[in-house]
Amino acid sequence: MASHIVGYPRMGPKRELKFALESFWDGKSTAEDLKKVAADLRSSIWKQMADAGIKYIPSNTFAYYDQVLDTTAMLGAVPSRYGWNGGEIGFDTYFSMARGNASVPAMEMTKWFDTNYHFIVPELGPDVNFSYASHKAVDEYKEAKALGVDTVPVLVGPVSYLLLSKPAKGVEKSFSLLSLLDKILPIYKEVVTELKAAGASWIQFDEPTLVKDLDSHQLHAFTSAYSELESSLSGVNVLIETYFADVPAKAFKTLTSLKGVTGFGFDLIRGTKTLDLIKGGFPSGKYLFAGVVDGRNIWANDLAGSLSILQSLEAIVGKDKLVVSTSCSLLHTAVDLVNETKLDKELKSWMAFAAQKVVEVNALAKALAGHQDEAFFSANAAAQASRKSSPRVTNEAVQKAAAALKGSDHRRATNVSARLDAQQKKLNLPVLPTTTIGSFPQTMELRRVRREYKAKKVSEENYINSIKEEIKKVVKLQEELDIDVLRNDMVEYFGEQLSGFAFTVNGWVQSYGSRCVKPPIIYGDVSRPKPMTVFWSSMAQSMTARPMKGMLTGPVTILNWSFVRNDQPRFETCYQIALAIKDEVEDLEKAGINVIQIDEAALREGLPLRKSEEAFYLEWAVHSFRITNCGVQDTTQVLPSTFRSRCPVL
């Protein structure tokens, strides 16, 4: 029984690529130094998968910045402002497209579907002269082969590439990007021909746009593209990989009818309805790559449950045509649980980072083939049972409070105009008051003091006095600038003070380029044991006669920027966070804070990929926000900030 990994994190277990990139960008190391770090990372990833027994190991999922940008380089689709004159694209042009340079701006960056990863958006038009300008896919395949690892080269599929692009500046917004298909397919043919010549027996085309709402014209583009590629693909096995959601019925029919394709990959974690489509009719003789190990979370797989699903699929497609896979690339999860020194043993037993998920995939494949590792499955079952019964996961008081929310939409009792009148009498602000939305920078001195306090090198009293001095400086600056409503940014991330959350040491996930984030882990019912920001906000307010805003992150943003528990619906967890924030809002009000900003920067980031599912998401997301501030007085002004997204519904 075969196993497959869609893709793997590229930053390294301790962010080795991040530091190598930033050193190179700062001129502190050479291109050769950067290439050496990258080659070492690739080598260790391939060998790790080979040692774990994975049969279909991906190559060309490593990128110095972004896999879509790599495809842009492969196609030679470099915007003219970068002054590229042909030939193999090197670091200068590549990083200029990604980051800009002294004279021209970078290309646009946007979210990769509904993940927290961001890709570089191709800028295309009728005058782009495509050419085969980066041989990276072939080079990496050969590199792995030289190490004794036969890989599956991964390419962003031609149709998804165009659907993820935008018209370049000066090109009509109505320009059909799919009209460029005939211009890019010759380059895909060249790449395929070279990969076949190098010995590749499988090629993976990622076509994730198949999970979106596509019209018949867009779906027909897939049929046209792979019909055109069919003769070039002769003699090599072709996998079309989809992920992040269900594949709609029409798209499923289009996909499974494509010519020259050997296998199809599906996300069976976020695409559970796809199971019904597979059971309703899967093409005979084709491979099914079943994505049953979650690539977007950090929870250990329920091996017994996954094995049951796989056995039902085996009855449909046959033992020799079923491949155990991840739901998507493991790029979206942390790298290796081994590096977590501060999580306790019980919590760690509930988790699996990328390295552990590779092992899970192979364990499932072996079990399906009749070689189940009883000790591994037994330990997994014990961990699953422990998580279900652990008192640290369940808080009955929180569950009761969340259940009681269902009877109201939690709008504030009075209308907006009445509240504005009351707030104006209380705050006496000008007609157009000024405030700042984004944060003030955290100074080097502030970071130093925090480090030393956490390391117990300075006393709590000295720490508070140091923060107090920093707050004074920020208050004074805002008063000198004649800001009407002031803010205080000296509160550390308050999620660390919520129950039900855990925090990692090395659980970094790539957001874009060298930028990594360390998402909190929500493992249990969420509550607020004590006030989180009241002390610092009150201190800041005591330093000025002007209104000082309380600053909080909203429940939907906390949810969307975390690894969320998968044992209850996301909206239930969001309601629990909302109740915790509600407690904090009301304590800020009691402490004399009359303006409270609640940031919902990521509200739109959680929007489902399909229009039909948006209304339900927005209903509970907006409801969660309303819960946070439904109990305050009319005189308290609540500022919903969606500074990274458009959201008129608040």
Side-chain angles (χ1 to χ4, degrees):
M1 188 58 62
S3 50
H4 167 248
I5 306 295
V6 176
Y8 200 82
R10 42 183 91 121
M11 279 293 127
K14 296 192 176 173
R15 294 181 293 162
E16 292 86 347
L17 182 60
K18 169 191 171 65
F19 299 121
L21 282 166
E22 291 172 359
S23 175
F24 174 69
W25 293 337
D26 291 343
K28 295 175 182 174
S29 59
T30 66
E32 292 310 309
D33 294 330
L34 175 56
K35 288 176 182 176
K36 173 71 168 60
V37 170
D40 288 346
L41 283 171
R42 287 193 297 268
S43 170
S44 68
I45 291 166
W46 292 325
K47 286 181 176 175
Q48 172 192 343
M49 290 194 213
D51 291 345
I54 302 299
K55 180 175 181 180
Y56 299 113
I57 297 171
S59 61
N60 199 40
T61 57
F62 180 92
Y64 285 101
Y65 206 94
D66 165 53
Q67 70 270 18
V68 180
L69 182 62
D70 285 1
T71 310
T72 297
M74 181 185 86
L75 297 171
V78 181
S80 59
R81 64 180 178 275
Y82 298 108
W84 176 66
N85 295 313
E88 188 80 5
I89 289 174
F91 281 161
D92 282 354
T93 301
Y94 181 85
F95 287 129
S96 290
M97 288 193 287
R99 307 177 70 235
N101 57 41
S103 56
V104 292
M107 295 168 72
E108 181 192 338
M109 181 172 66
T110 195
K111 274 170 58 70
W112 180 242
F113 294 80
D114 59 347
T115 73
N116 289 321
Y117 177 77
H118 301 75
F119 73 98
I120 303 296
V121 182
E123 302 172 11
L124 305 178
D127 299 328
V128 175
N129 292 312
F130 295 99
S131 63
Y132 187 12
S134 170
H135 293 66
K136 176 177 170 291
V138 179
D139 292 343
E140 284 193 16
Y141 174 78
K142 290 178 177 176
E143 182 184 327
K145 197 169 185 183
L147 294 168
V149 183
D150 188 26
T151 60
V152 178
V154 179
L155 303 172
V156 175
V159 183
S160 287
Y161 177 78
L162 293 177
L163 290 175
L164 293 166
S165 301
K166 70 172 188 177
K169 191 176 181 182
V171 175
E172 290 289 331
K173 296 293 180 195
S174 59
F175 173 71
S176 171
L177 293 160
L178 289 176
S179 68
L180 298 172
L181 199 53
D182 289 342
K183 293 187 177 182
I184 68 171
L185 288 178
I187 295 156
Y188 275 89
K189 288 178 182 177
E190 286 189 70
V191 178
V192 167
T193 300
E194 286 195 7
L195 286 171
K196 282 163 64 175
S201 58
W202 279 84
I203 299 175
Q204 175 178 320
F205 290 89
D206 283 4
E207 293 282 13
T209 54
L210 278 162
V211 306
K212 300 187 86 174
D213 293 316
L214 301 180
D215 60 33
S216 55
H217 172 66
Q218 292 167 323
L219 287 174
H220 183 68
F222 289 94
T223 304
S224 298
Y226 288 92
S227 292
E228 180 62 28
L229 289 172
E230 185 182 9
S231 59
S232 298
L233 294 171
S234 175
V236 66
N237 292 296
V238 175
L239 164 63
I240 307 290
E241 186 65 54
T242 67
Y243 35 78
F244 300 148
D246 287 299
V247 176
K250 283 185 179 177
F252 182 84
K253 187 176 180 182
T254 299
L255 170 61
T256 53
S257 302
L258 293 179
K259 292 183 177 179
V261 177
T262 319
F264 309 97
F266 300 103
D267 181 339
L268 300 181
I269 300 293
R270 289 177 178 245
T272 50
K273 292 175 189 170
T274 305
L275 273 172
D276 294 332
L277 294 175
I278 294 168
K279 290 172 182 176
F282 190 78
S284 177
K286 302 293 186 181
Y287 285 80
L288 170 60
F289 286 69
V292 294
V293 173
D294 195 346
R296 287 183 59 174
N297 219 320
I298 45 68
W299 303 112
N301 190 271
D302 175 1
L303 295 179
S306 294
L307 186 58
S308 176
I309 291 169
L310 290 165
Q311 286 167 338
S312 70
L313 293 172
E314 183 182 65
I316 296 165
V317 302
K319 189 180 281 285
D320 62 331
K321 298 297 181 187
L322 183 60
V323 180
V324 183
S325 184
T326 53
S327 65
C328 62
S329 172
L330 298 175
L331 175 72
H332 309 290
T333 192
V335 180
D336 196 340
L337 195 54
V338 167
N339 296 313
E340 293 310 318
T341 54
K342 294 192 176 176
L343 292 175
D344 63 71
K345 189 176 178 183
E346 183 181 47
L347 269 181
K348 284 177 80 170
S349 76
W350 301 343
M351 296 178 192
F353 290 2
Q356 288 70 45
K357 289 175 187 292
V358 168
V359 175
E360 288 180 337
V361 167
N362 195 58
L364 284 166
K366 284 169 66 180
L368 204 54
H371 305 293
Q372 183 167 310
D373 183 333
E374 296 299 343
F376 189 74
F377 269 69
S378 177
N380 175 267
Q384 297 291 322
S386 148
R387 188 176 165 209
K388 280 177 185 169
S389 62
S390 174
R392 67 199 296 191
V393 170
T394 306
N395 181 324
E396 284 187 21
V398 171
Q399 292 195 352
K400 269 187 189 172
L405 294 171
K406 289 169 185 170
S408 165
D409 67 0
H410 294 88
R411 293 175 187 269
R412 289 173 74 174
T414 52
N415 62 36
V416 174
S417 58
R419 296 201 302 270
L420 284 174
D421 287 344
Q423 289 160 16
Q424 186 55 26
K425 285 172 187 168
K426 177 92 170 179
L427 300 170
N428 195 29
L429 293 170
V431 176
L432 286 173
T434 54
T435 189
T436 60
I437 297 297
S439 307
F440 284 97
Q442 303 285 298
T443 64
M444 295 297 289
E445 174 63 16
L446 189 60
R447 292 177 193 277
R448 182 190 65 77
V449 169
R450 283 195 172 132
R451 273 198 313 272
E452 292 184 353
Y453 176 61
K454 285 179 179 176
K456 297 190 167 78
K457 291 180 180 177
V458 296
S459 67
E460 185 172 10
E461 184 182 358
N462 287 341
Y463 172 69
I464 289 172
N465 287 336
S466 296
I467 301 292
K468 191 173 182 179
E469 289 307 308
E470 290 295 326
I471 292 173
K472 276 183 185 173
K473 290 177 192 173
V474 172
V475 169
K476 185 169 181 282
L477 172 63
Q478 291 175 90
E479 288 183 330
E480 287 171 354
L481 293 169
D482 200 25
I483 302 292
D484 296 308
V485 180
L486 313 190
R487 66 179 287 147
N488 161 42
D489 292 305
M490 301 307 140
V491 179
E492 279 201 275
Y493 179 63
F494 60 80
E496 297 190 21
Q497 302 175 61
L498 291 169
S499 295
F501 278 72
F503 296 83
T504 63
V505 176
N506 284 297
W508 298 100
V509 179
Q510 185 181 14
S511 176
Y512 63 87
S514 68
R515 165 81 173 159
C516 299
V517 293
K518 207 164 44 165
I521 296 167
I522 305 175
Y523 67 84
D525 290 337
V526 178
S527 63
R528 186 202 68 145
K530 61 182 182 181
M532 303 178 289
T533 65
V534 175
F535 174 79
W536 297 110
S537 295
S538 300
M539 179 189 287
Q541 182 63 80
S542 72
M543 297 175 185
T544 181
R546 302 184 185 206
M548 174 65 65
K549 290 191 292 190
M551 302 295 303
L552 300 172
T553 305
V556 186
T557 295
I558 292 174
L559 185 87
N560 286 336
W561 286 352
S562 300
F563 285 127
V564 183
R565 58 190 293 191
N566 60 354
D567 58 347
Q568 68 179 18
R570 286 174 72 87
F571 68 84
E572 288 188 14
T573 302
C574 199
Y575 284 158
Q576 292 179 359
I577 302 169
L579 286 170
I581 303 300
K582 179 178 185 286
D583 290 344
E584 186 72 9
V585 166
E586 290 168 10
D587 278 347
L588 282 168
E589 182 184 59
K590 286 173 193 166
I593 304 300
N594 297 308
V595 181
I596 301 169
Q597 179 175 316
I598 304 175
D599 290 340
E600 284 292 17
L603 191 140
R604 288 185 67 88
E605 292 187 17
L607 274 173
L609 297 175
R610 304 265 265 290
K611 290 282 183 189
S612 61
E613 298 168 8
E614 284 186 2
F616 177 64
Y617 167 78
L618 287 172
E619 180 187 330
W620 63 255
V622 174
H623 188 187
S624 296
F625 177 83
R626 287 186 182 133
I627 289 165
T628 64
N629 60 89
C630 65
V632 297
Q633 303 295 316
D634 284 359
T635 50
T636 298
Q637 189 169 92
V638 175
L639 303 178
S641 170
T642 59
F643 51 86
R644 284 176 50 162
S645 57
R646 300 185 308 279
C647 193
V649 290
L650 297 182

